[in-house]
């Protein structure tokens, strides 16, 4: 399974420099590190999935000694690894450029991982069920809705989101963090199992046809 995760990294090695350059650029204009890690982690996972579709890699993968469960699991485990790598890069560059402390609050780590896991829990099953181009259309549609909302209905939505994040960071009850973490992990595992089921069924139907 490690080879499957390494494959996703190697496929995108040519644009890693672009990722790093834009991360540095965003840090120089004081974009919050939480946003950077979150966005780049999601983009990296989607790009890896899209590359598999474009190159028909699934046909090759299914002919190799990997189970369909391992193929799907590599995406879910890889998403966490990629998030950790982007987190390491972002906070390291933030320290080098802005002098901010590398020591990251554990609450911030939990927040980033939680947000990524929630989004991945919805994105990956949809990606296995439908092609990623339809998912891209859906994301663009949601972005359009978001722009309409902040321009016509809730102009201070971004400020409210920042307030929610800041309130989350100031919560002192460890029990609440534990409960939220359990719920997110449960969602992630449920999504994982659902994706395995979808992928197995799709592969079975393709074999029959």
């Amino acid at each position: 399974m490690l080879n499957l995760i390494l494959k996703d990294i190697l496929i995108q090695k040519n644009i890693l420099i672009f990722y790093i350059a834009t991360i540095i650029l965003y840090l120089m204009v004081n974009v919050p590190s939480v946003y950077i890690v979150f966005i780049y982690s999601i983009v990296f996972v989607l790009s890896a999935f899209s590359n598999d579709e474009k190159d028909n890699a699934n046909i090759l993968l299914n002919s190799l000694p990997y189970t369909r469960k391992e193929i799907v699991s590599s995406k879910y485990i890889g998403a966490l690894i990629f998030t950790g790598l982007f987190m390491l890069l972002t906070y390291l560059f933030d320290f080098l450029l802005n002098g901010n402390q590398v020591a990251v609050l554990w609450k911030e780590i939990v927040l980033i991982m939680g947000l990524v896991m929630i989004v991945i829990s919805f994105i990956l099953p949809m990606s296995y069920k439908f092609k990623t181009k339809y998912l891209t259309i859906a994301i663009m549609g949601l972005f359009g809705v978001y722009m309409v909302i902040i321009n016509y209905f809730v102009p201070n939505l971004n400020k409210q989101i920042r307030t929610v994040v800041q309130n989350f960071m100031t919560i002192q009850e460890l029990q609440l963090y534990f409960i939220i973490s359990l719920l997110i992990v449960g969602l992630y595992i449920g999504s994982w199992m659902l994706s395995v089921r979808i992928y197995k069924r799709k592969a079975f139907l393709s074999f029959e046809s």
Side-chain angles (χ1 to χ4, degrees):
M1 188 186 303
L2 179 60
N3 290 332
L4 294 173
I5 297 174
L6 289 175
K7 170 189 70 68
D8 288 339
I9 296 176
L10 293 175
I11 286 177
Q12 300 191 68
K13 65 180 181 180
N14 293 330
I15 58 174
L16 281 177
I17 296 178
F18 171 77
Y19 286 148
I20 293 173
T22 50
I23 286 174
I24 293 174
L25 177 63
Y26 288 137
L27 288 172
M28 290 177 66
V29 296
N30 295 320
V31 175
S33 300
V34 173
Y35 296 161
I36 295 175
V37 178
F38 171 71
I39 292 172
Y40 276 80
S41 300
I42 301 300
V43 168
F44 196 92
V45 173
L46 283 177
S47 296
F49 202 99
S50 178
N51 285 326
D52 283 354
E53 284 186 342
K54 182 175 60 178
D55 299 330
N56 292 321
N58 286 323
I59 298 176
L60 175 61
L61 289 175
N62 288 319
S63 66
L64 296 175
Y66 296 113
T67 65
R68 292 179 175 86
K69 184 177 181 180
E70 288 176 330
I71 294 172
V72 174
S73 297
S74 69
K75 297 298 184 186
Y76 280 84
I77 296 174
L80 302 180
I81 294 175
F82 303 148
T83 302
L85 291 175
F86 277 117
M87 195 181 301
L88 178 63
L89 284 173
T90 301
Y91 285 104
L92 177 59
F93 286 130
D94 195 20
F95 170 74
L96 295 175
L97 292 171
N98 303 319
N100 294 333
Q101 294 183 357
V102 177
V104 184
L105 293 173
W106 66 268
K107 292 180 181 179
E108 199 161 317
I109 296 176
V110 171
L111 176 62
I112 294 172
M113 282 295 184
L115 290 174
V116 170
M117 290 172 71
I118 289 172
V119 174
I120 291 297
S121 294
F122 290 98
I123 284 180
L124 283 186
M126 291 179 62
S127 297
Y128 279 109
K129 184 67 176 178
F130 310 102
K131 290 186 178 293
T132 50
K133 66 178 182 180
Y134 298 118
L135 182 61
T136 302
I137 294 173
I139 292 174
M140 292 175 62
L142 289 174
F143 180 75
V145 172
Y146 169 77
M147 294 302 295
V148 170
I149 291 175
I150 64 174
N151 281 291
Y152 297 101
F153 299 102
V154 190
N156 62 340
L157 179 60
N158 289 332
K159 183 178 180 180
Q160 292 182 17
I161 293 175
R162 285 194 294 268
T163 301
V164 171
V165 172
Q166 291 172 356
N167 290 338
F168 177 84
M169 300 294 291
T170 58
I171 294 176
Q172 300 297 326
E173 293 81 2
L174 294 180
Q175 185 176 3
L176 181 58
Y177 280 105
F178 181 72
I179 294 173
I180 293 175
S181 298
L182 281 181
L183 291 174
I184 294 175
V185 170
L187 174 66
Y188 201 70
I189 293 175
S191 170
W192 191 335
M193 296 173 62
L194 176 61
S195 292
V196 170
R197 183 174 180 179
I198 292 172
Y199 189 67
K200 284 182 176 179
R201 179 173 176 78
K202 179 180 289 188
F204 176 76
L205 293 175
S206 299
F207 178 77
E208 278 197 330
S209 61

